[in-house]
C-alpha cells in the first residue's frame, strides 16, 4: 500500500487485483477500480486490459475499445485479439 501511495504503477495494479479477488482484503469494487485506473494511467498494460474488459462487461463498448487499443499499443497481445473481435462485431472501425 505504501508503494502505491508513492505512485508505484505495479503496486497499484497488484492492489487492484487483490481488491477485485478479495485476496487478503475485503472485495471492494471502488478501490479495485481506483487502483486499476492509477496503474493504467501509469502505463500498465494489464491494468488497461482489465479496464477494457470491465467496460465491455458493462456494455460500454466504446470505452472498452479505447482501453484495449491503448493496451494493444503497449504490447498486450490479448488486447489486440479483443480489439480484432470488436472490429469484427462492428464496435471499432479501422
Amino acid at each position: 500500500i505504501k508503494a502505491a501511495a508513492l505512485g508505484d504503477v505495479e503496486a497499484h495494479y497488484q492492489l487492484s487485483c487483490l481488491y477485485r479477488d478479495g485476496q487478503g482484503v475485503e472485495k471492494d469494487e471502488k478501490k479495485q477500480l481506483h487502483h486499476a485506473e492509477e496503474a493504467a494511467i501509469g502505463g500498465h498494460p494489464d491494468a488497461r486490459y482489465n479496464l477494457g474488459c470491465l467496460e465491455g462487461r458493462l456494455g460500454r463498448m466504446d470505452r472498452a475499445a479505447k482501453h484495449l487499443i491503448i493496451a494493444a499499443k503497449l504490447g498486450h497481445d490479448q488486447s489486440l485479439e479483443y480489439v480484432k473481435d470488436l472490429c469484427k462485431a462492428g464496435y471499432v472501425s479501422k
Side-chain angles (χ1 to χ4, degrees):
I1 293 178
K2 286 183 181 182
L6 294 172
D8 184 279
V9 174
E10 183 64 28
H12 278 295
Y13 174 69
Q14 292 300 324
L15 282 171
S16 75
C17 294
L18 293 175
Y19 283 116
R20 178 193 65 208
D21 300 335
Q23 188 176 0
V25 295
E26 190 171 326
K27 282 187 179 186
D28 188 322
E29 286 184 32
K30 197 172 189 177
K31 288 181 181 179
Q32 181 253 326
L33 183 59
H34 166 75
H35 289 291
E37 288 173 342
E38 290 295 318
I41 290 167
H44 199 289
D46 292 326
R48 196 58 86 163
Y49 172 77
N50 288 348
L51 286 173
C53 292
L54 174 64
E55 294 291 0
R57 284 193 301 275
L58 295 174
R60 298 188 291 231
M61 303 313 284
D62 57 330
R63 292 178 61 117
K66 288 177 185 176
H67 285 299
L68 293 167
I69 289 168
I70 292 168
K73 286 181 179 180
L74 292 171
H76 194 272
D77 293 335
Q78 283 180 288
S79 294
L80 181 58
E81 294 305 314
Y82 201 154
V83 170
K84 288 178 186 177
D85 291 341
L86 290 175
C87 286
K88 290 176 189 172
Y91 290 110
V92 177
S93 60
K94 295 181 181 180

